[in-house]
Amino acid sequence: EAAAAEAEAQGDAPSDAPGSAPGSAPEAKPKALNVRRREAVLETLEEIGATSVIDLGCGQGELVGAMLARPRFARVAGMDVSAMALTIAARKLRLDRMPDSKRARLTLFQGALTYTDKRLSGYDAAVLMEVIEHVDPPRLAALERVVFGHARPQHVLVTTPNIEYNPRYEFLTGLRHRDHRFEWTRAEFAAWASRVADDYGYQVTFKPVGDDDPEVGPPTQMGVFTR
C-alpha cells in the first residue's frame, strides 16, 4: 500500500550533489535531495495556481507543513496508510498548539490509495511524492483508478526516483530504499505516465528534480498531469 518513504522524508536518501575533492576549499553544504524535491513540488503547485492540495502518502507531514506555511494554500490535506506516520506528523506540525485559523485549513486522515475514497475528491491538485515506487506493480492499476479515475483533481504531481542516476551514489547497492518495490528509468516513467494520461483524460509534462546529469538525468523525475 502507498506510503511515503520515511527515510527519504527525513533526508536519509543521498544528496544528488558530489562532495568536494580532497584539499579543495570547503563549499556550502548542498541541499538534501528531499528538500530540493519538496521545493520543486511547491514551486510547481504555485505555477499551476493550486489553492487546495491533498498530499497522498504524506508520511510525517513535511510537505503538509510547508504548504500550511504558505497562505495561498487555503485547504491542505494529508493522507497516509500508516497511523504511526500520521501521529508523528501531528506532533511535528504541533497540531495541539496550532492556531485555529491554520488548523481550519488542515485535514489529516488514514487511508489507502488502492481503495476508492470520497475524501480524496474536491482538491485542485493531488501530490504523490515518492509514493508510487512503494506500491506493488500489480496494484498500480488500482491506484490509477482511485487517483485519476475517481478523485480526478485538475492536477496530479508524481515524483519518483530515476534508477539511471543510482550509480552516481558511491555507496548505494540495489534500490534507494528497502521498501521500494521498483524504481524506473526515465523511459519507463514516461511510458507509464503517458499511458495513464491517455487512459484518464490528462496531459502530462515532465520536470527534472535535482542536478540534471547529462548522461543519466536527474536523481528524481516528476510528472505533472493536467486534466
Side-chain angles (χ1 to χ4, degrees):
E1 309 213 348
E6 292 184 0
E8 289 187 323
Q10 292 305 305
D12 295 340
S15 167
D16 57 323
S20 300
S24 63
E27 298 179 1
K29 185 177 180 181
K31 288 183 180 179
L33 179 56
N34 68 304
V35 174
R36 298 182 71 172
R37 186 165 50 229
R38 187 163 60 245
E39 290 177 349
V41 167
L42 288 166
E43 179 182 294
T44 302
L45 288 170
E46 292 187 345
E47 286 174 358
I48 61 181
T51 60
S52 60
V53 183
I54 183 165
D55 183 9
L56 301 173
C58 65
Q60 298 179 8
E62 282 79 8
L63 178 61
V64 168
M67 289 191 289
L68 282 175
R70 302 186 181 204
R72 68 160 292 119
F73 298 112
R75 291 174 56 229
V76 175
M79 187 200 83
D80 203 277
V81 72
S82 167
M84 177 62 73
L86 291 169
T87 298
I88 294 171
R91 185 171 71 241
K92 287 187 170 184
L93 293 168
R94 300 184 178 183
L95 207 58
D96 57 338
R97 287 174 281 173
M98 187 176 287
D100 290 345
S101 58
K102 183 179 286 189
R103 182 67 183 87
R105 295 162 52 209
L106 173 64
T107 304
L108 290 176
F109 61 95
Q110 186 178 12
L113 281 173
T114 48
Y115 298 95
T116 303
D117 189 332
K118 64 182 180 181
R119 295 175 296 178
L120 307 185
S121 301
Y123 295 90
D124 296 338
V127 177
L128 294 100
M129 189 170 69
E130 308 301 284
V131 168
I132 59 171
E133 63 274 10
H134 294 268
V135 180
D136 289 318
R139 306 191 75 186
L140 277 176
L143 179 149
E144 295 163 15
R145 286 194 299 272
V146 168
V147 175
F148 296 91
H150 293 280
R152 287 190 65 74
Q154 185 67 28
H155 306 276
V156 181
L157 277 59
V158 178
T159 77
T160 194
N162 166 24
I163 195 172
E164 296 170 79
Y165 194 92
N166 287 6
R168 294 293 189 260
Y169 297 130
E170 184 178 356
F171 300 107
L172 180 65
T173 58
L175 302 182
R176 295 190 202 175
H177 190 273
R178 62 185 178 275
D179 188 54
H180 285 186
R181 304 304 199 261
F182 62 87
E183 290 174 3
W184 279 333
T185 65
R186 287 168 290 172
E188 288 169 333
F189 180 54
W192 173 81
S194 298
R195 195 262 307 156
V196 169
D198 288 343
D199 286 352
Y200 291 99
Y202 284 78
Q203 293 181 330
V204 62
T205 58
F206 299 96
K207 288 187 171 186
V209 179
D211 295 338
D212 198 353
D213 187 290
E215 294 181 5
V216 298
T220 295
Q221 43 193 344
M222 183 195 297
V224 182
F225 297 79
T226 300
R227 181 159 59 82

